[in-house]
Amino acid sequence: MNGDDRIHLSYQVEGGDLTRAGEASSGVKQTLRKLGIDPGTIRRVSVCMYEGEINMVIHANGGLAMVDVGLDDITITLTDYGPGIPDIDKAMQAGWSTAADSVRDLGFGAGMGLPNMKKYSDEMKIKSIVGVGTTVTMVVKIPS
Amino acid sequence: MTLNEVRDVLNAEVLTGEELLDAEVHSACGSDLMSDVLAYVHNQSLLLTGLVSPQVVRTAEMMDMCCVIFVRGKRPDASILQLAQDRGLAVLATDKRMYQACGLLYTAGLNE
Ligand SMILES: Nc1ncnc2c1ncn2[C@@H]1O[C@H](COP(=O)(O)OP(=O)(O)O)[C@@H](O)[C@H]1O
Ligand SMILES: [Mg+2]
């Protein structure tokens, strides 16, 4: 990578199939390793992206994950056309969840996804319109 | 301690990753809730769980762990084992319950 070159990755995340959730995150992780990004940064990106990917699968019937890798930061943009989030402040609270029991059987649905994403990213923005969809943007800085 | 020693302490069966058992491990995490595991980025190398789901392997992968241990006699299906193999993770299974398995490993020196 040099100068202002950024690397763009994108993944279609399928809804419905809960067992396959995480494939995009796994692909991103492997690519970041090949790019030589430091392991600590990769792990933070992994947690952010994986929780976000799970959310797209369980709450929004899938979506598009885009990861943009620069020299100083990695930006993750998750876009879906699901139901949207009526009250973002409430959704951000640890423990708040509308997930079904079938999701709990996978080890998720405890209302910790968005708080985890917030904790491990340096910046996080949620744009959501009920009935239209949700876009979550997270920036993870790469330590110099 | 090594994964070989972990296996001995738990009297565990190796379901995949026999060749990985020389790896050194320093700390572990026990939970059935994957968001809990993801909440603490601490360099743990082992995940003990009673939850059988591909997301267990994914979570371990995301956290750079090298081994998943299914407790209380749980056995993952072939697709879960295949995923672990693809991602370079060892999988063990023990009949011990979570509390006991964690206690045994902690006492044996896995306590960072
Ligand atoms: N992409 C999304 N589309 C619609 N709703 C969402 C989305 N992401 C999160 N939510 C809502 O926010 C709540 C909290 O999300 P999160 O903290 O990840 O917890 P969990 O996924 O365990 O329910 C969810 O239960 C859901 O109601
Ligand atoms: Mg979630």
Side-chain angles (χ1 to χ4, degrees):
Chain A
M1 260 185 287
N2 57 46
D4 44 37
D5 274 356
R6 293 182 73 95
I7 293 173
H8 304 281
L9 311 169
S10 73
Y11 294 82
Q12 193 67 48
V13 175
E14 301 299 329
D17 190 355
L18 297 170
T19 62
R20 286 183 56 199
E23 282 182 4
S25 301
S26 177
V28 167
K29 181 157 195 145
Q30 288 167 64
T31 304
L32 295 181
R33 277 209 189 108
K34 283 188 200 128
L35 291 172
I37 308 286
D38 73 283
T41 301
I42 296 181
R43 207 183 294 168
R44 291 169 64 215
V45 170
S46 297
V47 173
C48 292
M49 164 112 191
Y50 184 47
E51 288 280 15
E53 181 180 357
I54 296 273
N55 278 354
M56 284 203 293
V57 174
I58 64 183
H59 301 300
N61 200 32
L64 181 69
M66 283 182 296
V67 180
D68 179 289
V69 187
L71 286 177
D72 303 324
D73 66 77
I74 297 170
T75 301
I76 306 161
T77 309
L78 306 170
T79 305
D80 67 61
Y81 302 98
I85 305 175
D87 184 341
I88 293 176
D89 288 340
K90 203 176 211 180
M92 287 301 302
Q93 284 171 19
W96 166 259
S97 175
T98 60
D101 285 345
S102 58
V103 169
R104 304 224 160 81
D105 294 342
L106 286 177
F108 289 92
M112 290 169 65
L114 292 174
N116 276 350
M117 290 152 74
K118 172 102 186 145
K119 180 173 171 188
Y120 288 109
S121 59
D122 292 295
E123 282 168 40
M124 173 165 145
K125 282 195 202 104
I126 303 177
K127 278 197 190 136
S128 190
I129 301 175
V130 173
V132 177
T134 301
T135 299
V136 180
T137 311
M138 291 169 282
V139 179
V140 174
K141 292 193 176 131
I142 301 174
S144 46
Chain B
M1 66 202 306
T2 65
L3 284 180
N4 263 313
E5 291 171 281
V6 168
R7 177 200 49 201
D8 293 345
V9 167
L10 297 179
N11 192 18
E13 190 186 330
V14 182
L15 303 183
T16 184
E18 192 75 61
E19 70 285 359
L20 304 169
L21 300 190
D22 290 332
E24 279 282 340
V25 291
H26 301 283
S27 72
C29 171
S31 184
D32 290 355
L33 181 57
M34 295 304 110
S35 283
D36 236 352
V37 179
L38 292 162
Y40 301 99
V41 174
H42 269 155
N43 269 324
Q44 293 111 341
S45 16
L46 273 186
L47 174 58
L48 293 102
T49 188
L51 177 78
V52 177
S53 139
Q55 301 311 328
V56 169
V57 175
R58 286 287 182 217
T59 299
E61 178 193 3
M62 293 305 143
M63 300 302 276
D64 305 311
M65 293 170 165
C66 64
C67 180
V68 173
I69 303 176
F70 291 98
V71 297
R72 34 174 214 273
K74 302 276 168 136
R75 290 289 186 281
D77 65 21
S79 68
I80 295 176
L81 289 177
Q82 184 63 52
L83 184 61
Q85 212 173 338
D86 292 347
R87 311 272 28 105
L89 290 163
V91 178
L92 311 187
T94 177
D95 289 337
K96 304 220 182 315
R97 302 182 65 183
M98 180 71 98
Y99 179 74
Q100 203 187 0
C102 292
L104 285 167
L105 288 176
Y106 194 93
T107 312
L110 198 65
N111 53 17
E112 265 178 37

